Amino acid sequence: MQRTKQKYTLFSAKALALLIIPIVIEAALSMSLGLVDSFMVKDIGNLGNAVSAVSNVDQISNLLIQLFVAFGVGGAVITSQYLGANKAEDANKSAKQLIVIMLLFSFVVTAICLGLNHQIVNLFFGGNNGNGEYLGYAYTYFYFMAASFPFMALFNACAALLRAQRKSMNTMLSGAISFALNVGCNALFIYLFKWGIAGAAAATLIARIFPAVFLVILLSRKSNLVRIKVFEKFRFDGTMLKKIMRLAVPSGIENCLFQLGKLLTVSFITVGIYWVNGVNIDNTANTIGYNINTISCIFGNGVNTAILTVVGQAVGTGIIPQVKHYIKKMLAISYIGNAVNVGITMALSPLLISVFANNVTPETTALAQKILWLCLSVQVVTYPLSFGMPAILKANSDVRYVMAAALASMIVMRVGLCYILTCDWAGIRLGAMGLWIGMVADWAVRSMLFSGRYLSGRWKTSSGLLKPVEVYGESERVAEEELQKIFEKRAEK
């Protein structure tokens, strides 16, 4: 007897489009904050010092922001799984715990960064300590970024909870507000008020405050499946916090150490392997390559965020075939979108380099182009597996394996191989190219480790929700159909 192919309706094609497209646009707008700053400060100071300071401080900030992102991932996965299991009350409990713990944690991080501003910048970029202009820019910019962390924490928490309810259009709107504020305030503070690097930093701070407040207002609306009540009495729920922390802590360790690895590799070349006319061209070319490579990752990052909602809700239903169906669909979307994104970036790379490489040497421009050809040609193959697949595993709560595999690959390839290719004692001395060779090698190893985990099938029971059923039971079908009706009714309102 021929088996009838099962159709899955938890997410229709239209529902996926309405979820993914706004998230991708939001990701593009969010990434633009640092890029806009880099572009608008390119004429400040000498030979790319301001651009390098903004880009490098953004990497320090991203190291700390990854902690907030990890908590957001934990909250998004837990909330999505509860919604998939049709447990709205538990989803609301997890939302309240998530927001409070993230805010408290962010205040601690901000206090540390404000108090140890110079020490933190010097720790990662002390190789530039002979360049007083560069360090002055970095100190100033980092003060403002540290002040923005509580708002980033609040934004990440609220955005994760709204996406879990398929309300990505709201988070996209907040991203548009942030982008408009950043561009407008940058133009006002840098060009009109002549505040220099402080103007760019103040613009980014303002661009992070208003979207966070906006999302809090949206998340408090009564029409939400999951909502927060700002003035409601709050108590910590130990059981719920454990569930969130079980996902957030491994993700936080992975994200932070991954970002720390990126910072360490940058420090390998800040000592200046190749200097021309007083400029470290390795450091400057790496900064340009990093900024443009960020553009090429926009679609992939957006899909990775959407995966937490799509696969998380599929996991909540407890039906393995359905989970596999949406995993394959999201990977296919990631590959197609990533290929288009990378192709456009590669075609426009000479133009983009000219935008970010104002007032730099020809040698710097040539090196930046070589870096882009290397990373983009590898990224088109490896990105969905090296970054999309871990998002899939996290959506199923398989966070410990993701942490272990990502850290092993990062230590051996991104840090270890990079050090060998850039250090003096090995004699290879490839500078920025050595850094990017180690990076793409890391992407390749991550792809193999995460794909192997998925093919092994060990991810299936990490959440404790999946049941080994290969066909629908009647009760399971009814539960899924009822959940779909709830989302459709909410969307109509």
Side-chain angles (χ1 to χ4, degrees):
M1 181 177 177
Q2 187 175 4
R3 186 174 179 178
T4 303
K5 186 177 180 180
Q6 179 65 56
K7 291 184 178 181
Y8 300 102
T9 59
L10 186 62
F11 284 87
S12 64
K14 180 180 178 181
L16 283 176
L18 291 175
L19 175 70
I20 295 172
I21 293 174
I23 290 178
V24 171
I25 296 174
E26 178 205 341
L29 295 171
S30 177
M31 287 181 180
S32 72
L33 293 183
L35 295 177
V36 168
D37 284 353
S38 294
F39 173 72
M40 299 188 83
V41 303
K42 62 186 176 66
D43 295 323
I44 298 174
N46 297 313
L47 299 170
N49 281 326
V51 174
S52 294
V54 168
S55 179
N56 289 339
V57 169
D58 275 341
Q59 293 189 59
I60 299 177
S61 297
N62 288 339
L63 167 64
L64 300 168
I65 290 172
Q66 291 309 312
L67 294 170
F68 312 140
V69 172
F71 278 103
V73 167
V77 171
I78 292 292
T79 303
S80 294
Q81 290 179 357
Y82 278 137
L83 291 176
N86 208 11
K87 297 179 179 179
E89 184 177 348
D90 287 332
N92 273 284
K93 288 181 181 179
S94 68
K96 296 171 188 175
Q97 302 294 315
L98 172 69
I99 289 177
V100 172
I101 194 66
M102 282 186 71
L103 276 177
L104 292 176
F105 181 68
S106 68
F107 290 140
V108 174
V109 173
T110 294
I112 293 172
C113 291
L114 289 175
L116 301 176
N117 176 290
H118 289 205
Q119 291 87 340
I120 293 172
V121 171
N122 290 337
L123 174 65
F124 293 109
F125 303 112
N128 268 309
N129 56 12
N131 189 335
E133 182 183 62
Y134 165 85
L135 285 178
Y137 290 152
Y139 297 151
T140 299
Y141 195 75
F142 190 45
Y143 274 122
F144 283 87
M145 294 306 98
S148 74
F149 290 159
F151 302 101
M152 287 297 296
L154 189 60
F155 176 88
N156 274 284
C158 294
L161 295 171
L162 286 167
R163 293 188 200 108
Q165 302 173 73
R166 311 188 187 186
K167 293 181 177 291
S168 57
M169 194 68 71
N170 291 334
T171 60
M172 182 194 73
L173 182 58
S174 71
I177 294 172
S178 180
F179 178 81
L181 285 170
N182 194 37
V183 173
C185 291
N186 263 312
L188 182 66
F189 297 157
I190 295 175
Y191 300 133
L192 183 62
F193 294 167
K194 305 297 183 182
W195 289 355
I197 198 79
T204 300
L205 173 60
I206 292 172
R208 288 175 172 173
I209 292 174
F210 282 89
V213 175
F214 177 68
L215 287 192
V216 170
I217 295 172
L218 290 180
L219 194 59
S220 63
R221 295 166 63 183
K222 294 181 179 180
S223 59
N224 294 327
L225 279 173
V226 178
R227 63 183 293 251
I228 57 170
K229 297 178 182 178
V230 177
F231 301 106
E232 184 181 47
K233 186 177 180 180
F234 175 82
R235 288 184 179 180
F236 284 108
D237 186 321
T239 302
M240 194 65 70
L241 280 176
K242 286 181 181 178
K243 290 182 178 181
I244 295 174
M245 297 299 286
R246 186 170 65 88
L247 295 178
V249 171
S251 293
I253 293 173
E254 176 218 336
N255 291 352
C256 288
L257 291 183
F258 179 79
Q259 193 68 28
L260 180 61
K262 291 172 66 176
L263 284 168
L264 285 174
T265 55
V266 172
S267 71
F268 296 159
I269 63 173
T270 56
V271 294
I273 293 175
Y274 182 21
W275 293 72
V276 175
N277 296 326
V279 179
N280 180 344
I281 73 164
D282 280 303
N283 189 35
T284 307
N286 174 67
T287 298
I288 296 168
Y290 175 82
N291 285 334
I292 298 175
N293 179 249
T294 298
I295 296 173
S296 71
C297 299
I298 287 173
F299 190 91
N301 285 338
V303 173
N304 295 345
T305 301
I307 281 172
L308 299 175
T309 296
V310 175
V311 178
Q313 287 190 12
V315 167
T317 66
I319 305 164
I320 290 177
Q322 179 169 232
V323 177
K324 289 182 177 179
H325 169 78
Y326 284 110
I327 287 174
K328 293 175 182 177
K329 178 168 280 191
M330 295 302 289
L331 279 177
I333 293 171
S334 181
Y335 261 109
I336 295 170
N338 179 66
V340 173
N341 197 171
V342 169
I344 293 173
T345 305
M346 189 174 290
L348 297 178
S349 60
L351 175 62
L352 293 171
I353 289 174
S354 68
V355 171
F356 286 100
N358 190 38
N359 198 24
V360 298
T361 64
E363 292 86 353
T364 301
T365 301
L367 181 56
Q369 184 66 74
K370 291 179 182 178
I371 287 172
L372 287 173
W373 282 115
L374 170 66
C375 71
L376 294 176
S377 60
V378 176
Q379 180 181 321
V380 72
V381 177
T382 61
Y383 190 89
L385 295 179
S386 59
F387 294 98
M389 188 59 77
I392 288 169
L393 297 176
K394 288 177 182 179
N396 187 59
S397 305
D398 196 10
V399 289
R400 292 184 180 179
Y401 176 83
V402 173
M403 177 187 70
L407 293 183
S409 179
M410 183 268 291
I411 291 170
V412 175
M413 292 297 172
R414 188 178 290 259
V415 177
L417 180 60
C418 172
Y419 181 67
I420 292 172
L421 295 177
T422 58
C423 68
D424 287 333
W425 64 263
I428 303 176
R429 294 167 58 90
L430 291 180
M433 281 301 295
L435 183 155
W436 284 87
I437 290 171
M439 188 179 298
V440 299
D442 177 42
W443 297 347
V445 172
R446 285 170 61 97
S447 297
M448 291 186 287
L449 292 175
F450 294 133
S451 298
R453 179 68 169 185
Y454 175 74
L455 294 174
S456 73
R458 295 178 181 177
W459 53 273
K460 295 178 182 178
T461 56
S462 297
S463 67
L465 293 173
L466 285 173
K467 301 184 288 293
V469 294
E470 296 301 327
V471 295
Y472 276 100
E474 184 60 29
S475 62
E476 291 162 341
R477 180 187 297 280
V478 170
E480 181 180 349
E481 290 176 349
E482 288 300 316
L483 180 64
Q484 187 67 29
K485 289 177 182 178
I486 291 173
F487 281 124
E488 289 174 355
K489 288 180 180 178
R490 296 291 183 184
E492 289 175 0
K493 291 183 178 179

